[in-house]
Amino acid sequence: MNKRELVDAIVDRVGDRRTATEAVNAIIDAVQKAVASGDKVSITGFGAFEMVHKPARTARNPSTGAEIKVDESWGPKFRPGSDFKELVNVAGKKAAKKK
């Protein structure tokens, strides 16, 4: 599902496409700004977004085997909540039975 499909999925609940688009954009913007400023965003039943530190390390080029220095960086991380995990687990089991 992409952003447009997400807007389409909630348009019936909020009334019109413009309101749905604004709602999706507002949520994405708020989560991105909060995580970028170092805050943890927890949505009960869905999951948590947070910033994680990735220390500098030495990696290897798979083609040549040469060592490469990878600088430290910061990145976003999502940890799904227990309700979300259970929903995906049940849906996965149903999909596996259909195969």
Side-chain angles (χ1 to χ4, degrees):
M1 175 179 278
N2 61 31
K3 190 173 176 181
R4 178 173 287 145
E5 292 168 337
L6 180 59
V7 169
D8 290 342
I10 67 168
V11 78
D12 292 335
R13 288 183 158 187
V14 296
D16 61 72
R17 177 170 298 285
R18 180 180 211 156
T19 304
T21 302
E22 289 174 5
V24 169
N25 288 338
I27 290 169
I28 291 170
D29 186 54
V31 170
Q32 287 177 336
K33 285 181 179 176
V35 172
S37 69
D39 293 336
K40 180 177 177 180
V41 178
S42 296
I43 303 171
T44 304
F46 181 68
F49 298 88
E50 59 189 322
M51 182 189 298
V52 293
H53 178 249
K54 300 173 187 176
R57 62 187 173 87
T58 302
R60 245 179 230 289
N61 180 329
S63 299
T64 65
E67 288 189 353
I68 302 169
K69 182 182 178 238
V70 179
D71 293 333
E72 75 172 342
S73 64
W74 293 85
K77 178 180 178 182
F78 175 72
R79 287 184 299 117
S82 58
D83 293 346
F84 187 28
K85 285 182 192 177
E86 182 61 25
L87 179 68
V88 172
N89 186 35
V90 170
K93 288 178 182 178
K94 287 179 182 176
K97 285 182 182 179
K98 289 181 180 179
K99 288 184 178 181

